[in-house]
Amino acid sequence: MAIVQQIQKRMIVSLAQIAKDLNLHEGDHVIIEEKDGGIFLRPVDWVDKNQKYFWTKVWQEKMNLSQEALEKGEYKTFSNMEEAIKDLEELAHANNNKNQPI
């Protein structure tokens, strides 16, 4: 959506026309970037709203577990993508068999 507005006193422009579509509210933050000869506004929280999931408790717990496993050497390396896919398929197959009743 493109909107043409006149810049008001003190260099003010209004986002009211698109704020609802972007779920923006008074007090929210935006990053203002000069880009390709124009001005680009992007909604953010204290972190970019598109990255907000990363800072949830659940995701941070997963990241901590991954970091601990890495530090303990609990990881695998592969020479190519086919080896990695084969390993994932074998792991999925083993997990499926574990969950089936005997």
Side-chain angles (χ1 to χ4, degrees):
M1 170 191 293
I3 298 171
V4 176
Q5 283 192 7
Q6 184 178 31
I7 296 175
Q8 303 297 314
K9 290 181 183 177
R10 296 177 28 208
M11 303 303 291
I12 294 175
V13 294
S14 172
L15 301 176
Q17 293 178 14
I18 61 169
K20 185 176 180 183
D21 292 341
L22 296 175
N23 195 27
L24 289 173
H25 304 282
E26 185 175 334
D28 285 352
H29 295 86
V30 294
I31 289 178
I32 304 170
E33 296 177 286
E34 179 185 353
K35 191 173 187 178
D36 299 326
I39 299 168
F40 181 72
L41 297 171
R42 183 166 30 114
V44 294
D45 206 341
W46 286 109
V47 295
D48 187 321
K49 283 187 177 184
N50 291 331
Q51 300 293 317
K52 195 170 184 174
Y53 72 90
F54 181 80
W55 300 104
T56 63
K57 183 179 179 180
V58 171
W59 198 267
Q60 286 300 300
E61 287 171 357
K62 290 177 183 181
M63 292 301 295
N64 287 336
L65 288 174
S66 295
Q67 183 63 39
E68 289 170 11
L70 184 62
E71 289 169 358
K72 293 177 186 175
E74 297 172 351
Y75 60 88
K76 296 178 182 178
T77 58
F78 303 96
S79 336
N80 56 53
M81 187 62 71
E82 289 78 20
E83 286 182 19
I85 292 170
K86 181 179 177 187
D87 186 71
L88 288 171
E89 289 171 343
E90 289 170 358
L91 181 61
H93 180 72
N95 284 336
N96 284 338
N97 287 339
K98 241 188 340 186
N99 295 330
Q100 292 181 2
I102 298 177

